[in-house]
Amino acid sequence: MKHTAALLGCAVLATALAACGSPSADDGAVVIRVQGMPPATDKPGLAQFKTMVADFERQNPGIKVQGSTTAFDPLTFSAKLAGGRAEEVIKVPLTEPQGLIARRQVQPLTAELGKWAHYKEFNPQVLQPLSDGSGQVYGVPQAPFAQGLVYNRELFTKAGLDPDKPPATWQEVRAAAKRIAGKTGKAGFVHESKSNQGGWQLTMLTYTHGGEIEKDSGGKYVAAFNAEPAKKALTLLKEMRWSDDSMGSNQLNDQNDVIKRFAAGEIGMYMGTPGTYRLAKMTYGMENTDAFGIGPLPQAGGKATLTGGDVYLVPKSVSKEKAAAAVKWLLFAYAQPAYDPAAAAERAKQLAADPESAVGVPTLPMFDAAQQAKIDEAVKPHVNVKLEHFAPWLEGTPALTLKPEPPVQAQQVYAVLDTVVQAVLTDKDADVDALLAKAETDVNAKLAAAQR
C-alpha cells in the first residue's frame, strides 16, 4: 500500500536554546519546556511552530509552552538528564528510548495517551520501539522513517541506467555505481564514515545482509556484528572503493556532507530516507530537485531495512501535573496533526505557501491504513514534490522487515564502527576480520559498563 502523508511536523536539526513566546507561571499556569522548536533559519517551520503554540495555549488555558531548539547531544545528554536540567519534553533519536527506559530515566505515558480517542489506531510498529516488555508506552514518535537508496535520476540517465528502476540488490548497486563513475566522472555511491554515521550506515548495510549489531546474551546485550553479514558488507565497500574506484576520492563524510554533495550533483547514490529531499532542497539549495529519486534499501539476503525517527519523551523527574500537560502537548502537536486529515491539509497549505518548502515527502504511516488513506487524499492538493519519484520506495519498503537501531549504547557503538568503516575506505590493505575483532572487544567493554 502507498503512503504519501506529508512530513508536517517541525523536526529540523538545531543546536541552540531559544524560547517561543513569553510563558510565565505567575498566573498559576503549568509551564512546560518542550524541545522540537525549529531554529530561526527554518522560517516556515518556526512560524508554524509558533502558531501551534498559540493555538494550543488557547485550547488549554491552564498550560503555557516554552519552545526549545536544544538538539540531542550524546556527550552531554545523560548528565543533563541525571541533573534534572532537561526540558519537560525531550526529543531524541530512535537509538535512545530503549536505553532510557531500561535505566528508568523516562516515565511511562500509557495512561495519559490512552485518554485520546484515537490512541488504539496508532500503527503498532511505530510504538514498539517506545515500549517496554510489558507494553507500557513512553513517548510519541514524529515522522518515523525507513531507510532507502537515494539516487540521482539525472546521473542515472547520463550513465544509461533506468531512473525508474533503482537497484534492488547490492550487486546491482555495485554495477550501477561503477557505471556512473565511468560514464560521468562522479562518485557512483558514497557511504558515510564519521560523526557516528559510519557505524549507523554500516548497521543498515549489515541488516540488509541478514545480520545484527547487538544480541541478547543471558539478559544482557553483547556485540553481534563480528560475523559473516557485516564482513560481507565491509568487503562490498572495500571492493567498490578499491577495485571499482566508484566511490570518489573523498571518503570522510557525514550525512550533511553527503547531502550537500548530492544536491550539487556530485553523487549518484547514498543510503538515506525520503526526508533527505528536504535537506537537499531547503538547506543545500538543490536546483534540480526533479533529479531526486529513492527506492527501497537494496538487499543481500536480509529483507530488512533500518527504521528510525525522532521521539518525544518525558523525563522521570517531571511531576505528574507537568507530565499530563506534556502529553496533551504531544498529542496536540504531533499525534493529532498526523491523524486529522483537515489539520494535515491546513498545515500542508501553510507550508506550500512558501516555494522553498517541501510538502508531500512520504514517511512511514503513524496510523492504520484506513486513516492514512484519508490523510493522503487531504494533503494531495498541496503536494509540491513529484511523488512518482518516491514511488519505488513507497512500493518496495512494505515488503521489508523494519528493524530498529541497536538497543544499548547505539551512539557509542556507532563511534567504534566509524573507525572500521574509515579504515576500509582509506586503507587498501585494511583487514576486515581484524578490524571487526577489535571493534567487538571495544564495543563489548562499552556494553558491559553500561549494563552493570
Side-chain angles (χ1 to χ4, degrees), residues 241-270:
R241 169 70 176 98
W242 300 105
S243 299
D244 302 347
D245 193 23
S246 63
M247 299 181 70
S249 58
N250 182 1
Q251 303 304 323
L252 297 179
N253 299 280
D254 60 18
Q255 184 181 67
N256 289 331
D257 298 326
V258 170
I259 297 174
K260 182 177 182 180
R261 292 173 59 195
F262 180 85
E266 298 297 320
I267 292 174
M269 296 175 285
Y270 68 90

mmCIF file of all heavy atoms in Angstrom, residues 241-270:
data_model
loop_
_atom_site.group_PDB
_atom_site.id
_atom_site.type_symbol
_atom_site.label_atom_id
_atom_site.label_comp_id
_atom_site.label_asym_id
_atom_site.label_seq_id
_atom_site.Cartn_x
_atom_site.Cartn_y
_atom_site.Cartn_z
ATOM 1 N N ARG A 241 35.305 0.544 -3.362
ATOM 2 C CA ARG A 241 36.272 1.637 -3.186
ATOM 3 C C ARG A 241 37.561 1.385 -3.949
ATOM 4 O O ARG A 241 38.048 2.261 -4.677
ATOM 5 C CB ARG A 241 36.571 1.797 -1.687
ATOM 6 C CG ARG A 241 37.756 2.705 -1.359
ATOM 7 C CD ARG A 241 37.445 4.151 -1.666
ATOM 8 N NE ARG A 241 38.537 5.017 -1.258
ATOM 9 C CZ ARG A 241 39.478 5.486 -2.065
ATOM 10 N NH1 ARG A 241 39.474 5.160 -3.347
ATOM 11 N NH2 ARG A 241 40.418 6.292 -1.590
ATOM 12 N N TRP A 242 38.128 0.195 -3.818
ATOM 13 C CA TRP A 242 39.475 -0.028 -4.328
ATOM 14 C C TRP A 242 39.523 -0.786 -5.659
ATOM 15 O O TRP A 242 40.374 -0.480 -6.496
ATOM 16 C CB TRP A 242 40.309 -0.763 -3.276
ATOM 17 C CG TRP A 242 40.416 0.020 -2.009
ATOM 18 C CD1 TRP A 242 39.775 -0.208 -0.830
ATOM 19 C CD2 TRP A 242 41.201 1.214 -1.806
ATOM 20 N NE1 TRP A 242 40.099 0.743 0.100
ATOM 21 C CE2 TRP A 242 40.985 1.632 -0.466
ATOM 22 C CE3 TRP A 242 42.063 1.952 -2.615
ATOM 23 C CZ2 TRP A 242 41.596 2.754 0.067
ATOM 24 C CZ3 TRP A 242 42.677 3.071 -2.084
ATOM 25 C CH2 TRP A 242 42.447 3.470 -0.750
ATOM 26 N N SER A 243 38.645 -1.723 -5.874
ATOM 27 C CA SER A 243 38.654 -2.455 -7.147
ATOM 28 C C SER A 243 37.911 -1.695 -8.234
ATOM 29 O O SER A 243 38.375 -1.616 -9.381
ATOM 30 C CB SER A 243 38.010 -3.845 -6.969
ATOM 31 O OG SER A 243 38.729 -4.612 -6.035
ATOM 32 N N ASP A 244 36.756 -1.110 -7.871
ATOM 33 C CA ASP A 244 35.932 -0.434 -8.867
ATOM 34 C C ASP A 244 36.222 1.055 -8.985
ATOM 35 O O ASP A 244 35.900 1.662 -10.007
ATOM 36 C CB ASP A 244 34.441 -0.600 -8.517
ATOM 37 C CG ASP A 244 34.006 -2.051 -8.432
ATOM 38 O OD1 ASP A 244 34.780 -2.929 -8.875
ATOM 39 O OD2 ASP A 244 32.895 -2.297 -7.932
ATOM 40 N N ASP A 245 36.792 1.645 -7.944
ATOM 41 C CA ASP A 245 37.028 3.092 -7.910
ATOM 42 C C ASP A 245 35.738 3.857 -8.207
ATOM 43 O O ASP A 245 35.723 4.813 -8.987
ATOM 44 C CB ASP A 245 38.120 3.489 -8.902
ATOM 45 C CG ASP A 245 38.612 4.919 -8.682
ATOM 46 O OD1 ASP A 245 38.447 5.432 -7.558
ATOM 47 O OD2 ASP A 245 39.139 5.522 -9.642
ATOM 48 N N SER A 246 34.647 3.432 -7.559
ATOM 49 C CA SER A 246 33.347 4.021 -7.862
ATOM 50 C C SER A 246 32.792 4.880 -6.731
ATOM 51 O O SER A 246 31.634 5.310 -6.786
ATOM 52 C CB SER A 246 32.337 2.912 -8.172
ATOM 53 O OG SER A 246 32.144 2.075 -7.043
ATOM 54 N N MET A 247 33.616 5.152 -5.693
ATOM 55 C CA MET A 247 33.128 5.895 -4.535
ATOM 56 C C MET A 247 33.771 7.272 -4.396
ATOM 57 O O MET A 247 33.618 7.927 -3.355
ATOM 58 C CB MET A 247 33.351 5.072 -3.262
ATOM 59 C CG MET A 247 32.602 3.743 -3.265
ATOM 60 S SD MET A 247 32.833 2.766 -1.760
ATOM 61 C CE MET A 247 31.925 3.759 -0.557
ATOM 62 N N GLY A 248 34.463 7.717 -5.425
ATOM 63 C CA GLY A 248 35.081 9.034 -5.385
ATOM 64 C C GLY A 248 36.341 9.065 -4.540
ATOM 65 O O GLY A 248 36.807 8.039 -4.037
ATOM 66 N N SER A 249 36.873 10.263 -4.360
ATOM 67 C CA SER A 249 38.142 10.406 -3.640
ATOM 68 C C SER A 249 37.969 10.847 -2.200
ATOM 69 O O SER A 249 38.860 10.645 -1.371
ATOM 70 C CB SER A 249 39.038 11.417 -4.370
ATOM 71 O OG SER A 249 38.387 12.678 -4.487
ATOM 72 N N ASN A 250 36.842 11.461 -1.861
ATOM 73 C CA ASN A 250 36.615 11.955 -0.508
ATOM 74 C C ASN A 250 35.812 10.926 0.281
ATOM 75 O O ASN A 250 34.624 10.724 0.031
ATOM 76 C CB ASN A 250 35.866 13.284 -0.553
ATOM 77 C CG ASN A 250 35.651 13.881 0.829
ATOM 78 O OD1 ASN A 250 36.069 13.320 1.832
ATOM 79 N ND2 ASN A 250 34.988 15.018 0.881
ATOM 80 N N GLN A 251 36.443 10.295 1.246
ATOM 81 C CA GLN A 251 35.797 9.204 1.989
ATOM 82 C C GLN A 251 35.391 9.578 3.406
ATOM 83 O O GLN A 251 34.752 8.774 4.089
ATOM 84 C CB GLN A 251 36.742 7.990 2.041
ATOM 85 C CG GLN A 251 37.178 7.491 0.682
ATOM 86 C CD GLN A 251 36.009 7.141 -0.230
ATOM 87 O OE1 GLN A 251 34.991 6.621 0.212
ATOM 88 N NE2 GLN A 251 36.150 7.443 -1.509
ATOM 89 N N LEU A 252 35.734 10.774 3.865
ATOM 90 C CA LEU A 252 35.381 11.175 5.223
ATOM 91 C C LEU A 252 34.174 12.103 5.167
ATOM 92 O O LEU A 252 34.292 13.323 5.034
ATOM 93 C CB LEU A 252 36.570 11.848 5.912
ATOM 94 C CG LEU A 252 37.798 10.948 6.095
ATOM 95 C CD1 LEU A 252 38.934 11.717 6.767
ATOM 96 C CD2 LEU A 252 37.443 9.698 6.895
ATOM 97 N N ASN A 253 32.996 11.516 5.251
ATOM 98 C CA ASN A 253 31.752 12.258 5.097
ATOM 99 C C ASN A 253 30.761 11.906 6.206
ATOM 100 O O ASN A 253 30.682 10.751 6.636
ATOM 101 C CB ASN A 253 31.078 11.906 3.764
ATOM 102 C CG ASN A 253 31.921 12.253 2.559
ATOM 103 O OD1 ASN A 253 31.970 13.401 2.134
ATOM 104 N ND2 ASN A 253 32.594 11.243 1.991
ATOM 105 N N ASP A 254 30.000 12.910 6.624
ATOM 106 C CA ASP A 254 28.818 12.622 7.425
ATOM 107 C C ASP A 254 27.592 12.925 6.565
ATOM 108 O O ASP A 254 27.720 13.241 5.376
ATOM 109 C CB ASP A 254 28.804 13.409 8.741
ATOM 110 C CG ASP A 254 28.809 14.915 8.548
ATOM 111 O OD1 ASP A 254 28.488 15.397 7.439
ATOM 112 O OD2 ASP A 254 29.129 15.634 9.516
ATOM 113 N N GLN A 255 26.406 12.832 7.150
ATOM 114 C CA GLN A 255 25.195 12.992 6.347
ATOM 115 C C GLN A 255 25.120 14.360 5.685
ATOM 116 O O GLN A 255 24.752 14.476 4.505
ATOM 117 C CB GLN A 255 23.952 12.768 7.214
ATOM 118 C CG GLN A 255 22.662 12.821 6.411
ATOM 119 C CD GLN A 255 21.440 12.631 7.274
ATOM 120 O OE1 GLN A 255 21.128 13.484 8.108
ATOM 121 N NE2 GLN A 255 20.737 11.524 7.098
ATOM 122 N N ASN A 256 25.476 15.408 6.408
ATOM 123 C CA ASN A 256 25.413 16.741 5.830
ATOM 124 C C ASN A 256 26.348 16.876 4.638
ATOM 125 O O ASN A 256 26.000 17.489 3.623
ATOM 126 C CB ASN A 256 25.735 17.801 6.883
ATOM 127 C CG ASN A 256 24.627 17.949 7.902
ATOM 128 O OD1 ASN A 256 23.469 17.715 7.605
ATOM 129 N ND2 ASN A 256 24.988 18.331 9.118
ATOM 130 N N ASP A 257 27.548 16.305 4.759
ATOM 131 C CA ASP A 257 28.499 16.337 3.642
ATOM 132 C C ASP A 257 27.917 15.641 2.411
ATOM 133 O O ASP A 257 28.006 16.142 1.290
ATOM 134 C CB ASP A 257 29.812 15.642 4.024
ATOM 135 C CG ASP A 257 30.530 16.310 5.174
ATOM 136 O OD1 ASP A 257 30.457 17.544 5.300
ATOM 137 O OD2 ASP A 257 31.166 15.587 5.966
ATOM 138 N N VAL A 258 27.334 14.473 2.644
ATOM 139 C CA VAL A 258 26.813 13.680 1.534
ATOM 140 C C VAL A 258 25.650 14.384 0.852
ATOM 141 O O VAL A 258 25.588 14.488 -0.381
ATOM 142 C CB VAL A 258 26.384 12.280 2.023
ATOM 143 C CG1 VAL A 258 25.622 11.535 0.934
ATOM 144 C CG2 VAL A 258 27.617 11.473 2.432
ATOM 145 N N ILE A 259 24.718 14.887 1.641
ATOM 146 C CA ILE A 259 23.546 15.529 1.037
ATOM 147 C C ILE A 259 23.940 16.811 0.314
ATOM 148 O O ILE A 259 23.408 17.121 -0.757
ATOM 149 C CB ILE A 259 22.476 15.810 2.110
ATOM 150 C CG1 ILE A 259 21.996 14.487 2.715
ATOM 151 C CG2 ILE A 259 21.296 16.565 1.511
ATOM 152 C CD1 ILE A 259 21.054 14.642 3.881
ATOM 153 N N LYS A 260 24.890 17.544 0.869
ATOM 154 C CA LYS A 260 25.374 18.752 0.196
ATOM 155 C C LYS A 260 25.986 18.399 -1.157
ATOM 156 O O LYS A 260 25.712 19.058 -2.174
ATOM 157 C CB LYS A 260 26.401 19.462 1.078
ATOM 158 C CG LYS A 260 26.923 20.767 0.492
ATOM 159 C CD LYS A 260 27.883 21.451 1.453
ATOM 160 C CE LYS A 260 28.372 22.780 0.886
ATOM 161 N NZ LYS A 260 29.302 23.450 1.835
ATOM 162 N N ARG A 261 26.799 17.354 -1.191
ATOM 163 C CA ARG A 261 27.414 16.934 -2.457
ATOM 164 C C ARG A 261 26.380 16.370 -3.416
ATOM 165 O O ARG A 261 26.439 16.600 -4.630
ATOM 166 C CB ARG A 261 28.510 15.895 -2.172
ATOM 167 C CG ARG A 261 29.726 16.454 -1.441
ATOM 168 C CD ARG A 261 30.688 15.343 -1.040
ATOM 169 N NE ARG A 261 31.154 14.605 -2.207
ATOM 170 C CZ ARG A 261 31.759 13.427 -2.142
ATOM 171 N NH1 ARG A 261 31.941 12.844 -0.964
ATOM 172 N NH2 ARG A 261 32.161 12.827 -3.238
ATOM 173 N N PHE A 262 25.401 15.644 -2.877
ATOM 174 C CA PHE A 262 24.335 15.114 -3.719
ATOM 175 C C PHE A 262 23.528 16.255 -4.339
ATOM 176 O O PHE A 262 23.189 16.228 -5.529
ATOM 177 C CB PHE A 262 23.423 14.206 -2.890
ATOM 178 C CG PHE A 262 22.290 13.606 -3.673
ATOM 179 C CD1 PHE A 262 22.472 12.432 -4.391
ATOM 180 C CD2 PHE A 262 21.038 14.214 -3.688
ATOM 181 C CE1 PHE A 262 21.425 11.876 -5.119
ATOM 182 C CE2 PHE A 262 19.985 13.666 -4.405
ATOM 183 C CZ PHE A 262 20.177 12.497 -5.138
ATOM 184 N N ALA A 263 23.218 17.276 -3.530
ATOM 185 C CA ALA A 263 22.449 18.420 -4.025
ATOM 186 C C ALA A 263 23.176 19.133 -5.156
ATOM 187 O O ALA A 263 22.542 19.714 -6.051
ATOM 188 C CB ALA A 263 22.165 19.391 -2.883
ATOM 189 N N ALA A 264 24.507 19.070 -5.117
ATOM 190 C CA ALA A 264 25.305 19.702 -6.168
ATOM 191 C C ALA A 264 25.512 18.790 -7.379
ATOM 192 O O ALA A 264 26.213 19.161 -8.322
ATOM 193 C CB ALA A 264 26.662 20.111 -5.592
ATOM 194 N N GLY A 265 24.928 17.600 -7.358
ATOM 195 C CA GLY A 265 25.038 16.694 -8.491
ATOM 196 C C GLY A 265 26.322 15.900 -8.543
ATOM 197 O O GLY A 265 26.695 15.385 -9.599
ATOM 198 N N GLU A 266 26.995 15.759 -7.386
ATOM 199 C CA GLU A 266 28.297 15.106 -7.355
ATOM 200 C C GLU A 266 28.249 13.640 -6.929
ATOM 201 O O GLU A 266 29.276 12.957 -6.953
ATOM 202 C CB GLU A 266 29.228 15.862 -6.405
ATOM 203 C CG GLU A 266 29.498 17.305 -6.812
ATOM 204 C CD GLU A 266 30.225 17.378 -8.157
ATOM 205 O OE1 GLU A 266 31.126 16.547 -8.386
ATOM 206 O OE2 GLU A 266 29.876 18.254 -8.968
ATOM 207 N N ILE A 267 27.087 13.146 -6.535
ATOM 208 C CA ILE A 267 26.964 11.771 -6.021
ATOM 209 C C ILE A 267 25.799 11.077 -6.708
ATOM 210 O O ILE A 267 24.715 11.648 -6.848
ATOM 211 C CB ILE A 267 26.757 11.773 -4.497
ATOM 212 C CG1 ILE A 267 28.029 12.252 -3.786
ATOM 213 C CG2 ILE A 267 26.361 10.392 -3.986
ATOM 214 C CD1 ILE A 267 27.864 12.420 -2.283
ATOM 215 N N GLY A 268 26.024 9.817 -7.083
ATOM 216 C CA GLY A 268 24.979 9.051 -7.749
ATOM 217 C C GLY A 268 24.003 8.392 -6.811
ATOM 218 O O GLY A 268 22.787 8.395 -7.054
ATOM 219 N N MET A 269 24.508 7.823 -5.694
ATOM 220 C CA MET A 269 23.648 7.089 -4.768
ATOM 221 C C MET A 269 24.190 7.184 -3.346
ATOM 222 O O MET A 269 25.399 7.279 -3.144
ATOM 223 C CB MET A 269 23.586 5.591 -5.159
ATOM 224 C CG MET A 269 22.960 5.290 -6.499
ATOM 225 S SD MET A 269 23.070 3.505 -6.920
ATOM 226 C CE MET A 269 24.811 3.367 -7.363
ATOM 227 N N TYR A 270 23.284 7.139 -2.383
ATOM 228 C CA TYR A 270 23.648 7.009 -0.971
ATOM 229 C C TYR A 270 22.459 6.439 -0.213
ATOM 230 O O TYR A 270 21.316 6.491 -0.681
ATOM 231 C CB TYR A 270 24.083 8.347 -0.359
ATOM 232 C CG TYR A 270 23.000 9.392 -0.226
ATOM 233 C CD1 TYR A 270 22.222 9.486 0.928
ATOM 234 C CD2 TYR A 270 22.762 10.301 -1.250
ATOM 235 C CE1 TYR A 270 21.240 10.451 1.057
ATOM 236 C CE2 TYR A 270 21.776 11.276 -1.135
ATOM 237 C CZ TYR A 270 21.017 11.340 0.023
ATOM 238 O OH TYR A 270 20.035 12.303 0.140
#
